[in-house]
Amino acid sequence: MSTAPDTQKAPASRVRGPGLRWDTAVGVLLVAVLVVGLAGTEGFGSRENLAFAFNDIAEVALIALPMTLLVVAGQVDLSVASMLGLGSALTGALWEAGWAFETIVPVVLLVGVAGGLLNGWLVTRVGLPSLAVTIGTLALYRGLASVALGSDAVTDFPQAYADWAVDTTTVPGTFLTYPVLLFVVLAAVTAVVLHATGLGRSLFAIGSQEEAAYFSGVRVKRIKLLLFVVTGLFSAFAGVVFTLRYGSARADNGLGFEMLVIASVLLGGVDFDGGKGTLFGAVAGVLLIGVLKNLLTLNDVAGEVQVIVTGLLLVASVLTPRVVAGVVERRHRRAARTP
Amino acid sequence: SGTTKDSAGESGAKATGSAKADPDAPLKKGLKLAFLPKQINNPYEKILDEAGIAAAKEYGGTGKEVGPSDANASSQVSYINTLIQQRQDAILIAANDPNAVCGPLKQAMKKDIKVVAYDSDTAKDCRQLFINQAGSEQIGRSLVQHLAEQIGHKGKIAILSATQNATNQNTWIEYMKEELKLPAYKDMELVKVAYGDDADQKSFQQTQGLLQAYPDLKGIISPTTVGIAAAARYLGDSSYKGKVVLNGLGTPNQMRAYVKNGTVEQFSLWNPEELGYLASYAAAALASGQITGAEGETFTAGELGEYTVGKDGEVILGEPTVFDAKNIDRFDF
Amino acid sequence: MNQSSPGPDPDSGPDPDSGRGPAPVLALQGVSKSFGAVRALRDVSLRLFPGEAHALAGENGAGKSTLIKALAGVHRPDSGEVRLDGDPVVFHGPADARDAGIAVIYQEPTLFPDLSIAENIFMGRQPRRGGGRIDHRAVRATTAGLMRRLGVDLAPDRPARGLSIADQQIVEIAKALSFDARVLIMDEPTAALTGSETARLFSVVRALRAEGAAVLFVSHRLDEIFELCQRVTTLRDGRWVSSEPLEGLTEDDLVRRMVGRDLDGLYPKQDAEVGDVALSVHRLTREGVFHDVSFDVRRGEIVALAGLVGAGRTEVAQAVFGVDRPDAGEVKVAGAVLRPGSPTAAMAAGLALVPEDRRQRGLVMEMSIERNIGLTGLGSIRRRGLISRALEHDRAADWAVRLQLKYNRLADSVGVLSGGNQQKVVLAKWLATGPSVLIVDEPTRGIDVGTKAEVHRLLSALAADGLAVLMISSDLPEVLGMADRVLVMHEGRLAAEIPRAEATEESVMAAATGRTERSAA
Amino acid sequence: MTATVGTPPDTDAVRAPERSASSLVDAVFRAREISIAGALVLLVLGTWLANPRFLSDQGIKDLLLNASILVLLAVGQSAVVVTRNIDLSVGSVVGLSAFACGKFVAGTDHGVLTVMLLGVAIGVVCGLVSGALVSFGKVPALVVTLGMLYIIQGVDYWWARGEQISAADVPGAVLGLGSGSVLGVPYLPLIAVALLAATAYYLRSYRSGRELYAIGSSPEAARLAGIPIRRRVLAAYAFSGAVAGFAGALWLARFGTVVADNAHGWELTVVSAVVVGGVAITGGTGTVWGAALGALLLTTIGSALVVLKVDAFWQGAITGALLLLAISVDRVVNLRVTAALRKRSARHVHGA
Ligand SMILES: Nc1ncnc2c1ncn2[C@@H]1O[C@H](COP(=O)(O)OP(=O)(O)OP(=O)(O)O)[C@@H](O)[C@H]1O
Ligand SMILES: Nc1ncnc2c1ncn2[C@@H]1O[C@H](COP(=O)(O)OP(=O)(O)OP(=O)(O)O)[C@@H](O)[C@H]1O
Ligand SMILES: [Mg+2]
Ligand SMILES: [Mg+2]
């Protein structure tokens, strides 16, 4: 009886190897783009440009963190950009109504939590698919934003707060702006949660086989609810950052960002079917889209072409590992046939 | 929106303050101009920018058009940053949001890049000049006046605008409401402002909804080229043709058919080519030091002749043209 | 793959039938198949003759399912060939094999959950009317006929979603019977069935065989092999061991061929000291599924829950564990009332449930072996608040040894394990929680004789240590051999409670079929 | 989007009652479309009571015309969604096709048929590319079609560069298709209904149609059943693309004026129509009738809010809320009915 696993371990066990991992590929591509930019494009490497390039994707990056967790758990939240808009509109409306900024922020965050609760409640209690629910709340939250602020734009936010978000103020000695710094910290925390805690494990289990996870005692509903709440919270907070960064609170802020967030996360190799992905990949995906856009714009590549490049990148990012795996497998099979 | 809070803008002291204007300075050769429209695939903006780029060629400069493919406030910002890195001589911008673009534009002015707003203004301290197609007040009021005449100063009217946040639209609508408060319009009632988001299909559907919601509607003002064309098309095919008056801002090429078949009697617009042309020359004048953007300065805009900088750095192109069946065939844009 | 080695050839050497008349309808010749580093089949040969029922035996992971998939065109052999009527053929996919008249029942039911039973049976080959349109009425009528032939009452229009494993298996069988197969291949079709369905299946198979069809049959229940088949081929570790007539062979001979050594006592239930009531179920009801179910399980006791397929046993287990919410009644663990509808609360109270459907409910198929085993104990594999991969690995490795798990690496996904080994992982992940009450639903489904004995020994030892075990099993010998007490369910109600001494095949079956009233407790 | 095949943990939701109740179960499954239709009727009646013009000749005509293109797209999308895939590129395909057709006919007198064929051809090409990537490249549909969305959109914008084809340049015959009618019924809704009926019939009555459902329900089982998965999925994408391309040509006919970004962002609207209509995003269930009803419901909400004089700022929020309400009610009704059936069947069995 071959109980010992080692007797099974044929010497050829290394041949297949892990192949090219998707997230690694995106990471490599990111580094390549940075190197090309630094070497060949004037102005790309300047501190103010780098500060700008990263700060410019701060909100998308912030939302991408909880979105990664959601997608790993097999869910999706399309209402994030609308929640960003609602956060921004509320910030503006309350500021105009004379509230202190210190009270506005917690209130806006609470609204984010409430929005997340609604999403989560509809998904976990009513049992609707998250895609359907959040297409609905996408319209709802954006609509509420426009109810809150109408066609107004509120501008004059206090300088001290505005300074915190703009790309001209950086952490001394670096090109990191404060929103980006915050992102780095939160990304580290999220990475630990996803890859080194029981909660993270549960997310993968829920994402790949919800029923089996439930039968294993994983609190599927509670965890999903929590994820939607965190996503709502982050999105509302991104709304505050957005408002301060542009110094303009409007109901249509961040319109269409949901696709950008999802594209970045998917680009980083997080599987939309759930159960697979790394936070590193998602972060690399976000940064790649941001840096590439900056580099292409600097080189006067037309906006339309940039759109095409984004599309090609998405397709290539899923196709390349497939092709590589296919080649590796074919070679392996040939090796198996001819001893 | 009239807030009176401490303005984030106050610290941004006018970058123009110190420089001195030299009215006789020649236009510099080889100026690099960048046009940043609201959105690159908007046909109207396209006309402006192409005219501006052509103008730049006239005085030996180069122009290019860059910009986002969606009309979002935030999307313009990354382009401004890039233009700063590229050290353009002047940035011409049709702002999607007067404030969101402010920070980077101030950065640009600090780096001695001239900033000219055209078509849709930014906050006043974030640019040196605003090239206005016509006085905003005049546009708003005259549209109401024209429509009132067409419907005999009596009945319900509605407005079909672009997006809820479009600065120029909202300013014009403000003036329309002002005008409607005058006693002459006591029998007219503005029942609704609808938003077609400058999307053809949405504008179309909004028109349709307006007519169902207000069956006794007498007139529609659509101060946007996309909106008026969509509204005209709906009216032309529906049973409301001839019963509801449509006026607003449109381009002759889009509207020709509807004027000819009687759906629309008249509409107005300035010449967008001239607007782009003027903006281009104004930017060149700024970059060459002929003007600084202070009130009262003058410069020559090629074939269009001499222009004077007005209050708040505003330069007005002129009166809008009113198009109708008689004159429309003389225009092609 | 050493081509020159003289592979075992059933046409020569040990095969006593070599001089037989009719040509084999389907044969494998020197077939090898590897998955990465795992060599699932090495130079295996097999011949199937018309009119014979041929058993395929071997331990879990011996390569039986892989062999079947090679015959069915699912896997392409790395070397060797498949022969149909003596001529080499290459099946490019399952469709090719099907078109050649080979019907296959795979080990794991593969149904379309959203489609009706009738559609499931005829998918891809529905009878048609003019213009290529599907004749829906014929589809339904034929399905109803098949169900009658199998003696089950499943409505053709019912969606496959929600069918119990047994019913799914029956649909698979109906599917295989629905076309005139020359070869019928069945990979553990009876693993989820009780005696009566099995008997029904066998009579149908015998009829097919009488019409000249060849049958290949896999089962870990040796008595079934002897009952149905004439010849047997044994595999061990992917290698061919023997092909011979069953006549004259004993069960022990067969086990020795499979395992390579002798096994002792299959049902080694030791008498344990029976302690306090550990699990107490009181008047538990779930409308439409089961009613008024009350029983106790004491520490040290193994209580079996028997009954026909669909009697509601699985449902009771799920309601006790909290994955389903009962409509009435309560569950007490060690005297404390359990919060209904919460598996987490059940686990905290010391309950564990090894579910019947391992692919959907037992395991996360894409996750690795070690992570699956770790999933039930995320709290216990932590070091300084974070998951420790070393602890996780150790936990898994420990149980892999205890359950004789056959695997390549613990980091491989459980999906690549053989069916029986997957079942062991499910057991491992629950035993690792150190429960005080263990509910096992068909714990040895698809497990080979050797390991089955191992599992029985383990359950028995755990019970001796004070564990309370509630065992649902459709394997009557297992029930009779292991249980201290047998509870029998019939149509959603407890029909009888039979103490070990009185439990016989007859008494249990009588209660299960509703022929006796519940005996006074 | 979890790809599990079995019952989700809340087993009540999908649990079928006992065998004897199976025909009732069937009725419940069919009720999915009925509840959406009910919502639609309520909405229309309510609005009509508030403003009778909503159902005037012109009003009905507008409602039907508005829904036609979305209905078409929803039908195409359903064919893809039942295979457990998704096509996010439809909005871009409509945009590209509308612009290309516009460019093609501008200033010419090409016939209607030529234009429609051109639209379909463009759509088929786009659909084939997406479909080939999904089926042969075996890459996730969502990522690929999101990529295709960007690529097609980029090509379209790049080609158009702000150009606009105005109605004046489009031949009258083409515009006539968009505005004309037979016996008072406009052509567009007729076309949509014809395509809808044909697709529904095909999906129900042909092997290859049923196989689309099988693939979506369980790809693994489909493989073992010998279904040519790749070919079928490819065909579904080609169909969805063809319909989108066709819709683009109709867009030109209906609106006359086309720019590059027609139907920009419609992918989510189409997907919501399909989902509201009861086609499971996880594949395997749902009908094109449902999807079409979903599309009709969505456009009708939009029109009703305008007719009801709802403030423009509130329209978005109300649309969202109604959408959520529609899917929630549908879901809750379903759960209740199924649970009631389970209990009733119990009495039936045990009382016997
Ligand atoms: N797709 C696969 N990838 C990798 N390994 C596989 C795959 N399928 C089977 N194996 C391995 O091949 C070996 C034989 O498996 P197989 O399923 O044929 O066993 P079996 O005899 O059917 O066992 P059981 O009685 O448990 O069903 C096992 O070690 C298994 O892990
Ligand atoms: N997940 C489910 N969804 C719908 N019906 C189910 C489900 N599970 C079981 N049933 C049905 O409920 C009844 C009781 O089934 P249950 O599985 O509890 O019976 P069992 O006695 O455990 O038999 P089995 O040997 O099939 O496991 C059967 O009619 C079965 O078809
Ligand atoms: Mg097997
Ligand atoms: Mg059971």
Side-chain angles (χ1 to χ4, degrees):
Chain A
M1 184 113 214
S2 48
T3 323
D6 289 359
T7 56
Q8 281 290 302
K9 236 176 233 167
S13 80
R14 285 282 92 192
V15 174
R16 193 143 70 148
L20 176 64
R21 267 179 48 177
W22 190 344
D23 51 348
T24 324
V26 176
V28 170
L29 198 56
L30 173 63
V31 172
V33 169
L34 278 171
V35 169
V36 168
L38 289 172
T41 300
E42 199 198 322
F44 178 76
S46 75
R47 186 191 289 191
E48 56 184 14
N49 183 59
L50 288 179
F52 175 82
F54 288 110
N55 204 36
D56 198 30
I57 49 168
E59 297 88 10
V60 171
L62 280 171
I63 301 176
L65 296 177
M67 185 69 87
T68 305
L69 302 189
L70 266 179
V71 175
V72 164
Q75 309 295 308
V76 72
D77 186 348
L78 291 176
S79 72
V80 286
S82 299
M83 183 48 82
L84 186 158
L86 180 55
S88 178
L90 266 186
T91 309
L94 295 178
W95 177 245
E96 201 169 37
W99 291 40
F101 205 77
E102 293 73 18
T103 30
I104 292 178
V105 175
V107 168
V108 168
L109 296 186
L110 268 181
V111 169
V113 167
L117 273 175
L118 177 61
N119 282 335
W121 184 78
L122 287 168
V123 170
T124 60
R125 300 293 145 181
V126 185
L128 293 166
S130 60
L131 192 76
V133 166
T134 56
I135 284 181
T137 49
L138 175 143
L140 179 63
Y141 298 157
R142 183 66 71 187
L144 290 178
S146 114
V147 170
L149 205 52
S151 61
D152 293 350
V154 176
T155 51
D156 328 292
F157 293 100
Q159 195 63 43
Y161 291 102
D163 272 349
W164 177 85
V166 295
D167 53 275
T168 39
T169 356
T170 51
V171 180
T174 67
F175 60 80
L176 290 183
T177 58
Y178 286 94
V180 173
L181 182 68
L182 182 69
F183 165 72
V184 170
V185 172
L186 289 174
V189 173
T190 314
V192 170
V193 168
L194 182 61
H195 295 298
T197 66
L199 178 65
R201 278 294 151 79
S202 308
L203 295 185
F204 283 100
I206 295 172
S208 45
Q209 221 167 307
E210 188 174 316
E211 196 176 0
Y214 178 67
F215 270 76
S216 303
V218 172
R219 294 169 191 247
V220 175
K221 292 186 180 183
R222 193 177 297 188
I223 290 177
K224 278 201 213 166
L225 188 71
L226 177 74
L227 287 185
F228 280 104
V229 168
V230 173
T231 310
L233 178 73
F234 272 53
S235 306
F237 180 68
V240 176
V241 175
F242 192 103
T243 310
L244 291 177
R245 194 154 77 81
Y246 290 106
S248 172
R250 292 163 43 132
D252 69 344
N253 275 347
L255 198 67
F257 268 25
E258 65 277 346
M259 282 300 186
L260 201 57
V261 173
I262 289 170
S264 314
V265 171
L266 296 184
L267 179 61
V270 181
D271 189 342
F272 194 72
D273 287 337
K276 283 194 217 89
T278 62
L279 195 82
F280 167 78
V283 170
V286 178
L287 297 185
L288 179 60
I289 284 195
V291 170
L292 197 62
K293 178 172 178 233
N294 181 267
L295 191 60
L296 291 176
T297 314
L298 274 178
N299 284 305
D300 276 340
V301 175
E304 304 93 334
V305 179
Q306 292 189 20
V307 174
I308 300 180
V309 169
T310 311
L312 287 175
L313 212 57
L314 269 173
V315 174
S317 75
V318 284
L319 209 53
T320 317
R322 278 273 162 212
V323 172
V324 170
V327 169
V328 169
E329 192 174 311
R330 209 162 308 139
R331 194 173 309 156
H332 170 68
R333 211 178 301 149
R334 207 172 307 136
R337 287 217 179 105
T338 53
Chain B
S1 66
T3 50
T4 48
K5 294 272 159 65
D6 302 9
S7 167
E10 257 166 38
S11 64
K14 282 229 162 175
T16 49
S18 53
K20 259 242 164 58
D22 172 11
D24 301 326
L27 286 184
K28 284 191 191 149
K29 294 284 167 204
L31 287 174
K32 289 197 292 180
L33 268 57
F35 289 81
L36 185 48
K38 287 182 170 181
Q39 163 179 25
I40 38 174
N41 35 31
N42 179 323
Y44 168 76
E45 304 264 328
K46 190 91 198 162
I47 300 174
L48 299 189
D49 295 347
E50 275 174 1
I53 292 168
K57 281 216 189 82
E58 278 182 23
Y59 54 76
T62 55
K64 66 174 179 186
E65 183 196 38
V66 296
S69 48
D70 59 289
N72 260 343
S74 56
S75 341
Q76 285 183 316
V77 170
S78 38
Y79 286 91
I80 302 174
N81 170 71
T82 308
L83 296 173
I84 297 174
Q85 299 300 331
Q86 292 175 337
R87 301 184 203 297
Q88 302 287 329
D89 292 301
I91 296 175
L92 295 95
I93 182 170
N96 280 322
D97 178 327
N99 299 293
V101 289
C102 254
L105 286 181
K106 282 182 187 157
Q107 287 288 113
M109 290 195 288
K110 258 191 219 146
K111 302 227 151 126
D112 203 27
I113 297 172
K114 306 301 174 194
V115 177
V116 176
Y118 65 103
D119 182 40
S120 182
D121 201 3
T122 70
K124 294 185 180 19
D125 54 347
C126 311
R127 45 80 178 158
Q128 281 133 335
L129 285 179
F130 171 48
I131 314 300
N132 201 345
Q133 37 274 69
S136 300
E137 179 162 4
Q138 192 205 355
I139 294 176
R141 290 187 188 273
S142 69
L143 285 176
V144 172
Q145 288 155 7
H146 291 156
L147 187 76
E149 259 162 49
Q150 287 176 291
I151 63 173
H153 287 83
K154 202 179 259 164
K156 290 183 180 166
I157 64 164
I159 296 173
L160 175 64
S161 174
T163 61
Q164 293 177 7
N165 296 304
T167 335
N168 47 0
Q169 298 280 325
N170 289 341
T171 321
W172 296 332
I173 293 173
E174 279 310 307
Y175 283 115
M176 289 185 206
K177 289 182 178 162
E178 288 291 312
E179 177 76 10
L180 282 168
K181 284 188 191 137
L182 298 179
Y185 306 101
K186 62 179 190 319
D187 292 333
M188 278 170 63
E189 186 197 352
L190 173 62
V191 290
K192 173 123 179 163
V193 181
Y195 298 91
D197 291 351
D198 259 356
D200 185 83
Q201 191 253 349
K202 175 115 194 259
S203 309
F204 191 90
Q205 244 166 304
Q206 289 292 324
T207 315
Q208 176 184 307
L210 277 177
L211 293 170
Q212 278 186 18
Y214 306 96
D216 48 351
L217 200 67
K218 283 284 174 298
I220 299 176
I221 299 177
S222 182
T224 153
T225 56
V226 178
I228 194 173
R233 214 169 52 254
Y234 179 73
L235 285 180
D237 282 343
S238 75
S239 53
Y240 303 101
K241 180 173 166 183
K243 294 184 191 138
V244 178
V245 174
L246 177 64
N247 206 325
L249 304 175
T251 66
N253 281 353
Q254 269 179 4
M255 300 298 292
R256 201 177 320 273
Y258 307 112
V259 171
K260 298 215 160 153
N261 73 14
T263 310
V264 176
E265 260 174 60
Q266 56 149 253
F267 61 94
S268 22
L269 197 68
W270 46 91
N271 185 333
E273 288 180 353
E274 290 180 358
L275 181 61
Y277 188 87
L278 173 59
S280 182
Y281 266 94
L286 266 180
S288 309
Q290 283 180 359
I291 54 174
T292 63
E295 188 171 354
E297 292 171 344
T298 60
F299 66 98
T300 308
E303 297 164 0
L304 292 179
E306 188 161 286
Y307 280 86
T308 308
V309 180
K311 191 166 160 288
D312 289 332
E314 200 171 301
V315 178
I316 294 179
L317 175 66
E319 301 257 317
T321 313
V322 175
F323 303 93
D324 56 22
K326 279 184 262 118
N327 70 358
I328 193 162
D329 281 333
R330 300 210 304 270
F331 300 91
D332 180 23
F333 60 84
Chain C
M1 267 30 37
N2 196 342
Q3 303 282 346
S4 60
S5 82
D9 180 2
D11 290 317
S12 61
D15 186 358
D17 305 319
S18 50
R20 215 169 136 142
V25 52
L26 188 63
L28 279 182
Q29 186 63 47
V31 163
S32 299
K33 174 78 195 170
S34 302
F35 300 101
V38 178
R39 302 173 74 185
L41 291 178
R42 311 184 202 190
D43 204 10
V44 173
S45 300
L46 174 89
R47 294 189 305 161
L48 281 179
F49 294 96
E52 77 161 342
H54 192 124
L56 186 58
E59 289 178 290
N60 293 136
K64 302 180 295 294
S65 298
T66 308
L67 183 148
I68 283 170
K69 287 180 179 165
L71 282 174
V74 177
H75 291 326
R76 188 96 67 84
D78 294 336
S79 63
E81 60 189 22
V82 180
R83 287 190 193 155
L84 188 68
D85 295 323
D87 303 322
V89 283
V90 175
F91 294 138
H92 292 281
D96 285 357
R98 188 185 70 199
D99 295 345
I102 303 174
V104 186
I105 299 170
Y106 297 98
Q107 183 169 11
E108 307 293 347
T110 46
L111 298 181
F112 306 108
D114 304 294
L115 303 185
S116 70
I117 290 177
E119 285 216 85
N120 263 288
I121 291 176
F122 285 100
M123 182 50 68
R125 36 188 201 86
Q126 295 94 335
R128 290 188 284 194
R129 296 184 286 158
R133 291 165 303 156
I134 296 172
D135 186 348
H136 288 291
R137 195 176 304 165
V139 170
R140 263 194 299 273
T142 321
T143 306
L146 282 168
M147 291 302 159
R148 242 172 289 133
R149 199 165 144 206
L150 285 170
V152 292
D153 173 27
L154 279 175
D157 282 335
R158 184 189 162 148
R161 187 186 300 281
L163 288 180
S164 70
I165 292 284
D167 287 344
Q168 292 181 32
Q169 198 62 265
I170 285 168
V171 175
E172 289 288 351
I173 293 169
K175 197 197 293 182
L177 296 180
S178 69
F179 58 101
D180 294 322
R182 305 167 59 207
V183 181
L184 175 61
I185 300 178
M186 301 187 288
D187 196 352
E188 303 196 27
T190 55
L193 302 187
T194 47
S196 57
E197 290 100 2
T198 306
R200 199 53 105 119
L201 172 65
F202 283 4
S203 71
V204 174
V205 170
R206 285 198 192 96
L208 278 178
R209 198 162 61 76
E211 290 163 22
V215 176
L216 184 63
F217 177 73
V218 178
S219 176
H220 288 297
R221 296 179 182 167
L222 301 187
D223 51 336
E224 292 179 355
I225 291 184
F226 282 94
E227 187 187 340
L228 184 70
C229 301
Q230 291 80 52
R231 288 202 307 151
V232 60
T233 293
T234 330
L235 298 180
R236 195 191 312 150
D237 279 341
R239 288 199 180 85
W240 177 90
V241 176
S242 69
S243 289
E244 60 205 311
L246 275 157
E247 221 174 1
L249 224 57
T250 63
E251 282 203 14
D252 287 341
D253 294 337
L254 193 52
V255 169
R256 207 173 309 113
R257 301 247 194 309
M258 288 163 58
V259 187
R261 61 188 160 84
D262 284 317
L263 279 181
D264 32 51
L266 214 48
Y267 304 108
K269 170 66 177 129
Q270 354 169 325
D271 281 325
E273 199 176 312
V274 173
D276 311 333
V277 173
L279 172 71
S280 166
V281 174
H282 184 64
R283 307 206 64 158
L284 207 62
T285 298
R286 195 169 144 83
E287 296 286 349
V289 186
F290 57 84
H291 296 265
D292 207 6
V293 172
S294 305
F295 61 87
D296 290 342
V297 184
R298 293 168 179 274
R299 289 162 51 84
E301 208 181 17
I302 297 182
V303 174
L305 196 53
L308 296 184
V309 164
R313 297 162 299 168
T314 297
E315 298 272 352
V316 169
Q318 290 186 2
V320 169
F321 188 64
V323 286
D324 288 340
R325 189 183 281 273
D327 294 322
E330 65 178 18
V331 176
K332 281 188 194 162
V333 179
V337 176
L338 196 62
R339 185 153 65 87
S342 165
T344 324
M347 282 172 72
L351 238 57
L353 169 69
V354 173
E356 168 183 48
D357 183 350
R358 62 176 169 248
R359 286 174 69 84
Q360 288 303 329
R361 301 176 165 177
L363 297 170
V364 182
M365 300 306 279
E366 287 177 358
M367 288 212 316
S368 67
I369 301 169
E370 52 192 4
R371 290 197 176 188
N372 265 290
I373 295 178
L375 196 59
T376 45
L378 290 171
S380 65
I381 52 171
R382 281 189 304 194
R383 197 174 275 160
R384 270 179 263 109
L386 299 182
I387 299 267
S388 155
R389 296 197 182 185
L391 286 179
E392 184 177 60
H393 184 87
D394 293 348
R395 175 179 160 120
D398 179 27
W399 282 96
V401 173
R402 289 175 74 174
L403 294 177
Q404 308 182 354
L405 189 70
K406 188 169 163 190
Y407 62 98
N408 184 26
R409 282 176 305 175
L410 284 175
D412 290 340
S413 78
V414 279
V416 305
L417 292 183
S418 77
N421 282 300
Q422 289 175 3
Q423 184 67 31
K424 291 183 201 169
V425 177
V426 189
L427 277 171
K429 84 182 229 197
W430 284 109
L431 291 178
T433 61
S436 61
V437 178
L438 177 66
I439 308 174
V440 284
D441 196 351
E442 311 286 0
T444 56
R445 184 165 74 88
I447 284 194
D448 65 41
V449 272
T451 317
K452 202 185 249 182
E454 229 29 72
V455 169
H456 290 154
R457 213 184 323 275
L458 193 74
L459 287 179
S460 173
L462 288 168
D465 284 349
L467 181 71
V469 180
L470 178 65
M471 180 177 82
I472 298 169
S473 174
S474 300
D475 188 351
L476 213 45
E478 180 173 80
V479 168
L480 299 178
M482 291 293 296
D484 293 307
R485 247 182 323 140
V486 184
L487 303 170
V488 188
M489 282 188 79
H490 172 66
E491 288 189 350
R493 290 173 194 274
L494 271 191
E497 178 173 339
I498 308 172
R500 184 182 177 92
E502 294 163 27
T504 61
E505 210 154 307
E506 290 69 37
S507 64
V508 173
M509 281 318 287
T513 47
R515 277 181 280 131
T516 47
E517 284 310 298
R518 183 173 181 173
S519 62
Chain D
M1 274 105 290
T2 315
T4 49
V5 180
T7 42
D10 115 27
T11 36
D12 266 339
V14 272
R15 166 148 312 162
E18 298 205 49
R19 293 162 196 181
S20 56
S22 61
S23 56
L24 287 166
V25 177
D26 216 38
V28 177
F29 275 95
R30 233 166 257 147
R32 299 218 47 141
E33 282 92 48
I34 293 173
S35 62
I36 296 297
L40 187 62
V41 169
L42 276 183
L43 179 71
V44 171
L45 282 184
T47 316
W48 175 67
L49 285 179
N51 183 344
R53 281 179 81 92
F54 189 58
L55 290 187
S56 66
D57 275 2
Q58 180 74 37
I60 294 179
K61 213 162 135 181
D62 287 341
L63 274 183
L64 294 178
L65 278 170
N66 287 344
S68 304
I69 290 181
L70 191 61
V71 166
L72 281 178
L73 293 176
V75 168
Q77 185 74 250
S78 306
V80 173
V81 172
V82 291
T83 67
R84 200 184 280 190
N85 285 295
I86 197 165
D87 187 354
L88 289 181
S89 69
V90 285
S92 297
V93 175
V94 174
L96 178 67
S97 156
F99 183 77
C101 291
K103 189 98 181 151
F104 174 68
V105 296
T108 69
D109 53 358
H110 285 297
V112 173
L113 197 64
T114 333
V115 182
M116 298 298 133
L117 284 180
L118 176 68
V120 171
I122 290 173
V124 167
V125 171
C126 296
L128 282 176
V129 175
S130 302
L133 285 168
V134 172
S135 59
F136 291 97
K138 288 196 211 132
V139 290
L142 191 105
V143 187
V144 166
T145 57
L146 187 59
M148 287 299 289
L149 180 160
Y150 288 128
I151 294 173
I152 297 171
Q153 184 181 40
V155 168
D156 183 21
Y157 284 10
W158 184 60
W159 183 21
R161 280 250 138 207
E163 193 182 334
Q164 180 174 41
I165 313 291
S166 54
D169 298 333
V170 180
V174 175
L175 292 177
L177 179 70
S179 52
S181 53
V182 272
L183 302 174
V185 187
Y187 290 128
L188 251 51
L190 288 180
I191 295 175
V193 169
L195 188 93
L196 170 62
T199 312
Y201 188 72
Y202 167 77
L203 285 179
R204 217 187 99 68
S205 300
Y206 286 85
R207 280 186 188 173
S208 44
R210 296 315 299 165
E211 285 172 5
L212 293 182
Y213 283 90
I215 292 168
S217 194
S218 170
E220 173 64 12
R223 194 172 68 91
L224 292 178
I227 294 173
I229 298 180
R230 293 178 180 187
R231 273 218 315 272
R232 295 282 177 269
V233 171
L234 184 65
Y237 273 95
F239 175 68
S240 162
V243 171
F246 183 57
L250 291 181
W251 186 292
L252 174 73
R254 164 120 168 89
F255 296 110
T257 304
V258 288
V259 286
D261 62 354
N262 293 310
H264 180 79
W266 269 41
E267 52 282 344
L268 286 187
T269 318
V270 175
V271 172
S272 20
V274 167
V275 169
V276 168
V279 179
I281 205 79
T282 43
T285 51
T287 64
V288 284
W289 290 109
L293 280 174
L296 193 56
L297 183 67
L298 285 190
T299 47
T300 308
I301 290 179
S303 307
L305 290 182
V306 182
V307 172
L308 292 173
K309 308 184 190 179
V310 172
D311 184 76
F313 298 121
W314 279 95
Q315 280 179 20
I318 294 180
T319 308
L322 284 181
L323 216 151
L324 289 174
L325 196 69
I327 52 179
S328 303
V329 167
D330 177 45
R331 169 83 182 163
V332 170
V333 166
N334 242 304
L335 287 187
R336 286 280 150 78
V337 172
T338 325
L341 277 181
R342 167 164 67 89
K343 294 187 180 174
R344 200 169 73 198
S345 73
R347 242 161 272 138
H348 174 78
V349 166
H350 294 282

